Amino acid sequence: MLPEPVVRVKLALAALGAEDTVTVFDSKVPTAAAAAAALGCDLAAITNSLVFDVGGAPLLILASGAGRVDVRKVAAQLDAGQIRRASPEFVLEHTGQEVGGVAPVGHPEKITTLLDESLAAQPVLWAGAGDHHAMFSISYDELRRITAARVMPVR
């Protein structure tokens, strides 16, 4: 039986007309490095779903596992003031998923989402699927479509 957050991701993928490619692993894959090792793929193909706090509102940045988000650069592009990494409690409240397993979809409510333009170089992306044991594969264009993300450089 799958955990509820993974079920919500699978339902969201279906509702959005995306293929259900969710893979569940025996061991946890809570970091980009662990996921890349388990999948045998390039670290740059791992799509981290990072939640930030912008004045109390969540901002989801889908970023390559091969780099760090430059919050000052993102804030300047959004004209948003300060962007802070969200607390685990904030992430759980807004996504229904724990840090390390956050998916791009399957949240209780729509979250403003940014998509790292560098991910476009990867033919297949892997993203969290709701918990530390699950991920799904997707193309860049399909990820952009299902999340309605704004594409921008984030590092």
Side-chain angles (χ1 to χ4, degrees):
M1 188 157 168
L2 293 173
E4 181 62 29
V6 177
V7 170
R8 283 196 311 270
V9 169
K10 289 172 77 65
L11 290 172
L13 289 170
L16 293 162
E19 186 178 352
D20 178 351
T21 59
V22 172
T23 301
V24 179
F25 301 92
D26 291 333
S27 57
K28 290 183 178 182
V29 288
T31 65
L39 292 162
C41 70
D42 191 317
L43 188 60
I46 302 300
T47 305
N48 287 329
S49 298
L50 306 171
V51 180
F52 293 86
D53 182 337
V54 183
L59 172 67
L60 178 63
I61 300 179
L62 305 176
S64 170
R68 295 194 119 169
V69 172
D70 181 340
V71 292
R72 288 188 192 115
K73 181 177 190 169
V74 172
Q77 291 176 89
L78 296 177
D79 196 25
Q82 187 177 18
I83 296 175
R84 295 187 318 263
R85 178 66 60 101
S87 70
E89 297 80 17
F90 184 92
V91 172
L92 185 59
E93 174 188 348
H94 291 282
T95 67
Q97 303 161 4
E98 293 182 0
V99 171
V102 175
V105 296
H107 313 131
E109 294 185 22
K110 175 74 176 126
I111 298 175
T112 299
T113 304
L114 306 179
L115 180 59
D116 181 353
E117 68 180 15
S118 76
L119 288 167
Q122 301 299 317
V124 176
L125 300 174
W126 287 90
D131 80 355
H132 295 115
H133 289 91
M135 298 194 71
F136 70 96
S137 63
I138 193 165
S139 72
Y140 180 83
D141 288 338
E142 185 72 346
L143 181 60
R144 184 179 61 216
R145 182 189 72 77
I146 68 170
T147 61
R150 177 177 168 186
V151 175
M152 70 171 46
V154 300
R155 24 183 205 141

